[in-house]
Amino acid sequence: MKVLVCNAGSTSLKFKLFDMPGDLVLAEGKVERVGSRDSAIYHFRKPDGFKVFRENLCIPTYTEGIRMFLDSLLDPETGVLKNLGELKRVGFKTVLSKGYYGIHELTPEVLKGMEDYLVVAPAHNIPYLEAIRQFQALTPQAMLVGAFETAFHTTIPLERKLYGIPYEWYEKYGIERLGYHGASHSYVADTLANKYGSTGKAISCHLGGSGSLCAIDDGKSVDTSFGLSLQTGLIQSNRNGDMDPFIIPFLLKEGMPLDEVLEGLSKKGGLLGISGVSNDLRLVEEAADQGNERAALAIEIFCNGIIRYIGSYYAELGGLDHLVFTGGIGEHSATVRQKVCDSLGHMGIWLDPAKNVSYTENAVISLPDSPVAIHVIPANEELGVARKTYGCQSSRKG
């Protein structure tokens, strides 16, 4: 079965076409800078080495980006499909839908749930809804499936989900810690289980433009750093992370408009807000190396948040077998891994400095006698979504 996975970001589209159930990747593509005034970039490649790279493009909306990728799949010389009818399912790494927290066919009811939670996840639900509607029009024969980021975290005990708010708010509005990055954390759990036969007690650190940690016990999520929204937990590239909620009414009383407050927390906060340099950790690290004190402070705050969550999850798990780094920063920042692990030696987390800066894919970078195995596992969220999409049962009649 041909299964296409679409990963829609706030300004990007990523695609992978799989032949399931064999996990075979037939083609993949990426569109960057969708809707930007700057020129857009388009990548397309197949496992046999064939590549297309185009830049200085105008891709104002997701419609053009989706059509460009589908056209590449159908190209008579380089494509991998004869017609779009071969696409049986399209899976989406969806984030949040009110009342739907697992793997679901994207029926009108599920899409209405996504619309209802636009206020909670506007930067994610808006582009996904646009992409889904385009696929509904362009691939009407395909079953569309949402693998919601909250799915993996439904096993978290209620005592770790609820906020210290009136219980009626939970009952009436469903306010609780939902958690995200489920596709990434579940892929980490599956990878550990396949390698060792059991996940054991693990902490998965998905660190990228947005980041979260997840405590995993015997393959199940038992705690995570994200909450109802993606604003909580670690500081992000632009988002504030954990924060006293009364800062908001304080700023309003000081005369700051609500729109400006929200923009500061969601678009001008995090690494960007603290460093004043960039929301890209690579540029923040460069500035810190050149003596920029605010950039160095941003890195320390970011790493300290990771350390704090690892410590609390270690206590909740009652020990630790595996510490995993994944995501763009987790995979590529030796500095972050070093700073985090150096602070956790008393917990049996002993990093091998040489392996940390030079490792192969899916590597163990801890010392041979480290009580806790430290891993770098490249994120492969699309494969996890493809497997879930393939296994989803259709709600269609007839």
Side-chain angles (χ1 to χ4, degrees):
M1 178 189 292
K2 303 297 190 301
V3 175
L4 177 63
V5 174
C6 176
N7 184 343
S10 57
T11 61
S12 67
L13 285 165
K14 297 178 184 178
F15 307 94
K16 274 192 180 181
L17 178 65
F18 293 86
D19 192 358
M20 301 299 289
D23 298 347
L24 178 64
V25 177
L26 300 177
E28 58 185 296
K30 183 177 182 180
V31 184
E32 299 177 324
R33 301 175 188 169
V34 177
S36 172
R37 294 181 180 179
D38 299 328
S39 59
I41 298 172
Y42 174 67
H43 305 257
F44 177 83
R45 66 179 181 178
K46 298 193 298 184
D48 62 8
F50 174 80
K51 294 182 181 181
V52 171
F53 177 81
R54 299 173 188 165
E55 55 185 341
N56 299 321
L57 301 172
C58 178
I59 306 179
T61 68
Y62 291 94
T63 300
E64 289 80 9
I66 291 169
R67 285 178 174 167
M68 184 175 291
F69 180 72
L70 293 179
D71 286 345
S72 295
L73 294 180
L74 297 172
D75 188 284
E77 294 185 4
T78 60
V80 295
L81 297 179
K82 294 180 180 179
N83 56 69
L84 290 181
E86 292 185 65
L87 276 182
K88 299 304 180 184
R89 298 192 177 189
V90 181
F92 299 86
K93 195 175 73 69
T94 42
V95 175
L96 185 63
S97 178
K98 189 174 183 180
Y100 298 93
Y101 306 116
I103 314 303
H104 297 279
E105 182 174 1
L106 293 170
T107 62
E109 294 78 13
V110 177
L111 296 180
K112 175 62 166 56
M114 293 178 67
E115 293 171 352
D116 289 342
Y117 267 173
L118 283 175
V119 68
V120 179
H124 299 80
N125 277 12
I126 289 175
Y128 267 113
L129 284 167
E130 181 179 345
I132 290 165
R133 286 165 181 149
Q134 290 305 317
F135 274 102
Q136 285 178 326
L138 296 170
T139 60
Q141 79 293 338
M143 174 181 166
L144 306 187
V145 177
F148 287 93
E149 289 288 312
T150 51
F152 185 59
H153 303 299
T154 56
T155 54
I156 295 176
L158 190 59
E159 63 268 21
R160 295 175 186 162
K161 282 187 174 184
L162 293 191
Y163 293 100
I165 57 177
Y167 190 78
E168 292 76 13
W169 295 4
Y170 162 66
E171 293 180 307
K172 184 175 182 179
Y173 304 111
I175 297 177
E176 61 177 294
R177 293 184 176 92
L178 296 174
Y180 302 94
H181 290 151
S184 177
H185 294 310
S186 63
Y187 179 76
V188 164
D190 290 344
T191 301
L192 292 175
N194 290 336
K195 185 174 182 179
Y196 296 99
S198 171
T199 303
K201 299 180 183 298
I203 297 175
S204 171
C205 307
H206 179 103
L207 310 176
S210 63
S212 69
L213 274 71
C214 179
I216 302 170
D217 196 353
D218 194 25
K220 296 179 180 180
S221 172
V222 295
D223 209 345
T224 189
S225 57
F226 270 139
L228 175 69
S229 76
L230 294 94
Q231 283 290 135
T232 55
L234 303 175
I235 65 167
Q236 317 286 317
S237 58
N238 297 80
R239 301 187 211 117
N240 55 270
D242 289 334
M243 187 192 77
D244 186 333
F246 272 69
I247 291 175
I248 296 176
F250 173 81
L251 291 174
L252 294 176
K253 188 176 181 181
E254 290 294 307
M256 186 178 291
L258 178 60
D259 288 348
E260 189 174 332
V261 173
L262 296 178
E263 183 180 28
L265 298 178
S266 62
K267 297 182 179 180
K268 296 182 179 180
L271 290 172
L272 173 62
I274 298 168
S275 72
V277 173
S278 175
N279 63 356
D280 189 323
L281 182 69
R282 292 167 296 187
L283 299 179
V284 176
E285 286 184 351
E286 289 178 8
D289 291 340
Q290 295 169 6
N292 186 310
E293 293 184 359
R294 280 180 56 184
L297 177 62
I299 296 170
E300 292 298 331
I301 292 174
F302 179 64
C303 292
N304 191 66
I306 300 168
I307 294 165
R308 182 184 298 120
Y309 274 105
I310 291 174
S312 64
Y313 292 165
Y314 182 98
E316 287 179 348
L317 289 167
L320 190 62
D321 301 307
H322 305 281
L323 176 64
V324 179
F325 292 93
T326 189
I329 293 173
E331 294 168 31
H332 301 296
S333 178
T335 298
V336 168
R337 295 193 300 266
Q338 184 83 47
K339 284 181 175 292
V340 169
C341 293
D342 282 354
S343 297
L344 299 171
H346 61 287
M347 291 166 47
I349 298 172
W350 301 344
L351 183 71
D352 186 319
K355 292 179 181 177
N356 184 44
V357 297
S358 178
Y359 63 90
T360 57
E361 190 171 303
N362 290 322
V364 175
I365 58 172
S366 46
L367 291 170
D369 58 345
S370 176
V372 177
I374 308 169
H375 305 258
V376 177
I377 298 178
N380 196 342
E381 297 169 299
E382 289 82 7
L383 176 57
V385 173
R387 290 170 175 169
K388 292 177 174 65
T389 299
Y390 175 73
C392 183
Q393 298 299 312
S394 176
S395 62
R396 299 182 183 184
K397 296 181 180 180

